[in-house]
Amino acid sequence: MTYPKTEETMQVIKDLVSIPSPSGNTNEVITFVENFLTDLQVKTKRNRKGGLIATIEGKDTNKHRMLTAHVDTLGAMVKEIKPSGRLKLDLIGGFKYNSIEGEYCQIETSAGKVFSGTILMHQTSVHVYKDAGKAERNQDNMEVRIDEKVQSADEVRALGIEVGDFVSFDPRVQVLPNGYIKSRHLDDKASVGILLQLIKQIQNEKIELPYTTHFLISNNEEIGYGGNSNITPETVEYLAVDMGAMGDGQTTDEYTVSICAKDASGPYHYLLRKKLVQLAVEHDIGYKLDIYPYYASDATAAIRSGHDIVHGLIGPGIDSSHAYERTHITSIDNTTKLLYHYLQSEMVE
Ligand SMILES: [Zn+2]
């Protein structure tokens, strides 16, 4: 029994967060994942939504298992080009403007040209605006300053920038020597990195899985419908691998794997949850059982779309989610270990 090397996983996560992929514009990151899996001789296919499904045949081909993690992230779209040459944004996914204030960003035109910019309050300069501190961080006050000599809407349009262009945020990724990784979009690229490394381990060590197992790399989770399709009729267990939510009253931390008992959509399957806890105990894996108050996962999306499945949710603990996120290598490690044993375990029914 050899677990995947977590130091290597940290590098894969770094590579993933460095590829811009707001929901709706994920082709580049999906191609990266596809190439990673093709190199391992894993069979993959894309769905029409642009997500990727990797399948590894198991001993039992009558009952299937599906695991999912998502590569799409929060982002924005150009809503308006202001007469001043600044851009008004429309947000993609669930977050507030304050979490992107001052952030460097990238604007991708429909022709594929990329421009850099900064997301700022219109009233940022304290030398000019008295209410700079108190003004509300909202769609009207926040804007993008493009790093080009543009002072009118026409000049911006001449660059090729238009309404509907995707805007992605600088992840500011750093892997520190003491084991922390801080970056935007660890939700949920940390989990994608973990799944990729597990698949690599399964292939390299020629591990035979008990059941045919699908890995769905979802590309629409942040907008609610990433993991609700391409679930085979044989699929019994469906496990979402997504971030554990930290904050006041939460048990989840940056050092263990978080097992979700319930989120805003209701309880996860009781038997599967108990089995995941039992696996953690048996293999001496640091875990926390938790409830996420404002949260729904791709497993929720799958249940809501009518699939009769046993659904669960686990993941690494992520601090300050949907903003400047952080986790620690030990959380990545514990999540990897639990999944390693889960993949080789018997089903609950
Ligand atoms: Zn997520």
Side-chain angles (χ1 to χ4, degrees), residues 102-170:
E103 190 55 280
Y104 293 157
C105 67
Q106 190 173 294
I107 307 128
E108 188 187 316
T109 72
S110 54
K113 261 181 113 179
V114 172
F115 294 95
S116 75
T118 307
I119 301 163
L120 295 161
M121 272 286 286
H122 176 76
Q123 309 90 320
T124 290
S125 177
V126 292
H127 303 99
V128 180
Y129 302 102
K130 208 165 66 184
D131 66 340
K134 285 197 194 127
E136 204 187 327
R137 274 60 187 156
N138 60 22
Q139 191 176 35
D140 289 328
N141 290 340
M142 300 285 283
E143 58 188 21
V144 177
R145 178 185 69 195
I146 310 165
D147 299 324
E148 295 289 332
K149 198 174 176 191
V150 282
Q151 269 143 1
S152 70
D154 284 347
E155 286 173 342
V156 173
R157 288 209 157 87
L159 296 173
I161 294 175
E162 251 313 334
V163 171
D165 287 351
F166 280 95
V167 176
S168 51
F169 315 137
D170 187 338

Side-chain angles (χ1 to χ4, degrees), residues 20-44:
S21 59
S23 312
N25 191 14
T26 54
N27 184 52
E28 191 184 343
V29 76
I30 286 288
T31 304
F32 174 91
V33 174
E34 196 173 46
N35 291 340
F36 187 102
L37 294 170
T38 306
D39 287 349
L40 298 170
Q41 266 105 44
V42 177
K43 210 169 67 189
T44 66

Side-chain angles (χ1 to χ4, degrees), residues 70 72 187-188 221-222 241-243 295-296 322:
H70 67 95
D72 63 311
D187 168 21
D188 185 31
E221 192 277 343
E222 295 292 1
V241 187
D242 207 336
M243 51 147 280
Y295 196 111
H322 285 194

Side-chain angles (χ1 to χ4, degrees), residues 106-271:
Q106 190 173 294
I107 307 128
E108 188 187 316
T109 72
S110 54
K113 261 181 113 179
V114 172
F115 294 95
S116 75
T118 307
I119 301 163
L120 295 161
M121 272 286 286
H122 176 76
Q123 309 90 320
T124 290
S125 177
V126 292
H127 303 99
V128 180
Y129 302 102
K130 208 165 66 184
D131 66 340
K134 285 197 194 127
E136 204 187 327
R137 274 60 187 156
N138 60 22
Q139 191 176 35
D140 289 328
N141 290 340
M142 300 285 283
E143 58 188 21
V144 177
R145 178 185 69 195
I146 310 165
D147 299 324
E148 295 289 332
K149 198 174 176 191
V150 282
Q151 269 143 1
S152 70
D154 284 347
E155 286 173 342
V156 173
R157 288 209 157 87
L159 296 173
I161 294 175
E162 251 313 334
V163 171
D165 287 351
F166 280 95
V167 176
S168 51
F169 315 137
D170 187 338
R172 301 182 186 231
V173 57
Q174 282 190 13
V175 180
L176 305 178
N178 62 2
Y180 286 102
I181 177 166
K182 51 180 183 176
S183 176
R184 286 185 186 276
H185 314 319
L186 291 175
D187 168 21
D188 185 31
K189 288 175 170 176
S191 307
V192 175
I194 290 169
L195 289 188
L196 290 180
Q197 286 288 97
L198 281 161
I199 295 171
K200 189 173 169 185
Q201 193 73 0
I202 290 163
Q203 293 297 91
N204 289 349
E205 308 255 303
K206 299 190 170 50
I207 297 169
E208 192 188 21
L209 297 178
Y211 309 97
T212 293
T213 304
H214 308 280
F215 297 87
L216 170 61
I217 306 303
S218 143
N219 68 331
N220 286 300
E221 192 277 343
E222 295 292 1
I223 47 178
Y225 52 81
N228 62 1
S229 64
N230 308 92
I231 301 163
T232 59
E234 294 89 352
T235 298
V236 178
E237 287 183 4
Y238 181 109
L239 184 66
V241 187
D242 207 336
M243 51 147 280
M246 290 171 54
D248 290 344
Q250 297 297 102
T251 59
T252 301
D253 59 35
E254 294 167 277
Y255 314 103
T256 54
V257 53
S258 183
I259 301 172
C260 186
K262 175 187 178 293
D263 66 16
S265 65
Y268 283 86
H269 198 284
Y270 197 20
L271 289 180

